[in-house]
Amino acid sequence: MSTAREVAPEWATEPTEPSSGSGSGSGTVTEAEPVGSRRRLRGLLDGAPPSWCADPYADALRSGRGPLFLRRADGWLLPLEVERWCAEADAADLDVVERCEGAVLDVGCGPGRLVAALSARGLRALGIDVSEAAVAHTRGIGGRALRRSVFAPVPGEGRWGTALLIDGNLGIGGDPGALLHRIAHLLAPGGLLIAETVPYDIDERVHVHVTDARATAGDPFPWARLGTPALLQHAARAGWHATDQWSTGGRSFVALRSRSTNSSAEPPNRTAVISSQRARNPSPGRPVANS
């Protein structure tokens, strides 16, 4: 496991990162968040398992190819689309890019194809990921990225115009409700979330680990998989409202608006282990093998 310390570039340490066009509002807390949500966030911060940033996932990103899988304890495998993640943005990705508003935060940016595509179109974008390899790859293709968990402090909280949860990143932390509350706190009031869902009906919370063809495994971590109906239910409970949903290239997406005033999320723990956000995440496809 790498012990190298990632140093954030100076631009990304400014608290007012999103500038004009990122949505109105200063992130002022005006509403109390349910106690249960605060407890879920605290659990994700304080109870996160050890980080795995030098592992089969990091090796796959450096080489640009798999095979790579998420594996449950019962042997169930879900293939991860490393080659697509490391390629340039495809038509489905560019559709997402065209829908973005203001400054964009790509949560779990992986190797950075969306951050690069946004930047190439003159949009202000930042990727965050706990994987050092992912952050390095994103910067290497011209994107801006920080090695950071979504549950840790993020520049410009309460000012982002759009947040992205693509390639299965709805699963981060294994608690969709807590993740949606956190994203709402990061966005400007009325901000936009574009999330990719599993293209069939599922609402699943499991513990998984990343493994390669040699059965080299990272540490287990909590994960979630949501189809569109499940996301809409979780979003409604968290105060979001859906504005659009669509499918393209075998992938499914939902656009959600946050409430017009930010709810109060518990401040992120600056000393928390950042591994509650996991590496670039599962394809929305079905599992293909058991062993």
Side-chain angles (χ1 to χ4, degrees):
M1 180 174 289
S2 170
T3 57
R5 182 176 180 271
E6 186 78 15
V7 179
E10 184 176 354
W11 72 270
T13 62
E14 296 297 324
T16 56
E17 171 56 21
S19 57
S20 61
S22 63
S24 60
S26 61
T28 302
V29 173
T30 60
E31 220 177 307
E33 186 179 59
V35 172
S37 297
R38 294 199 300 270
R39 287 175 178 167
R40 287 196 300 272
L41 283 172
R42 178 62 65 191
L44 287 167
L45 289 166
D46 295 340
S51 179
W52 57 273
C53 293
D55 55 24
Y57 172 74
D59 293 341
L61 285 196
R62 294 186 184 105
S63 68
R65 61 181 184 274
L68 199 67
F69 307 91
L70 284 187
R71 178 172 180 147
R72 281 193 321 223
D74 62 4
W76 175 93
L77 294 173
L78 179 72
L80 305 183
E81 298 182 88
V82 177
E83 290 83 358
R84 180 172 67 80
W85 298 342
C86 291
E88 293 184 359
D90 62 18
D93 296 327
L94 294 178
D95 189 14
V96 169
V97 168
E98 292 301 319
R99 294 168 184 263
C100 291
E101 304 169 357
V104 183
L105 181 67
D106 187 2
V107 177
C109 66
R113 73 187 190 282
L114 288 170
V115 177
L118 287 159
S119 298
R121 284 156 179 75
L123 297 174
R124 198 163 179 81
L126 172 68
I128 57 172
D129 203 291
V130 298
S131 166
E132 181 179 356
V135 170
H137 194 287
T138 301
R139 293 176 179 173
I141 60 175
R144 290 174 167 176
L146 286 176
R147 186 178 174 191
R148 191 70 53 88
S149 166
V150 66
F151 296 107
V154 173
E157 296 198 15
R159 297 180 177 89
W160 294 96
T162 303
L164 301 178
L165 289 170
I166 305 300
D167 296 333
N169 281 319
L170 272 170
I172 288 172
D175 187 334
L179 180 60
L180 288 170
H181 277 293
R182 177 60 177 147
I183 296 295
H185 187 67
L186 294 173
L187 287 171
L192 177 67
L193 168 62
I194 300 178
E196 184 171 357
T197 59
V198 177
Y200 50 90
D201 193 4
I202 187 172
D203 188 355
E204 178 182 63
R205 250 89 58 211
V206 293
H207 277 76
V208 296
H209 58 254
V210 175
T211 185
D212 58 19
R214 301 183 302 275
T216 304
D219 294 330
F221 55 91
W223 197 250
R225 300 175 68 227
L226 277 70
T228 294
L231 172 58
L232 295 177
Q233 291 176 8
H234 285 286
R237 287 194 291 267
W240 296 80
H241 68 273
T243 60
D244 200 2
Q245 51 186 286
W246 68 97
S247 297
T248 182
R251 299 164 63 192
S252 298
F253 302 88
V254 175
L256 301 167
R257 287 277 176 199
S258 64
R259 55 177 62 117
S260 58
T261 56
N262 275 340
S263 60
S264 172
E266 184 165 319
N269 184 347
R270 294 182 179 274
T271 62
V273 177
I274 64 174
S275 61
S276 57
Q277 175 184 315
R278 290 297 163 184
R280 195 58 174 173
N281 299 323
S283 155
R286 294 179 183 271
V288 296
N290 287 277
S291 61

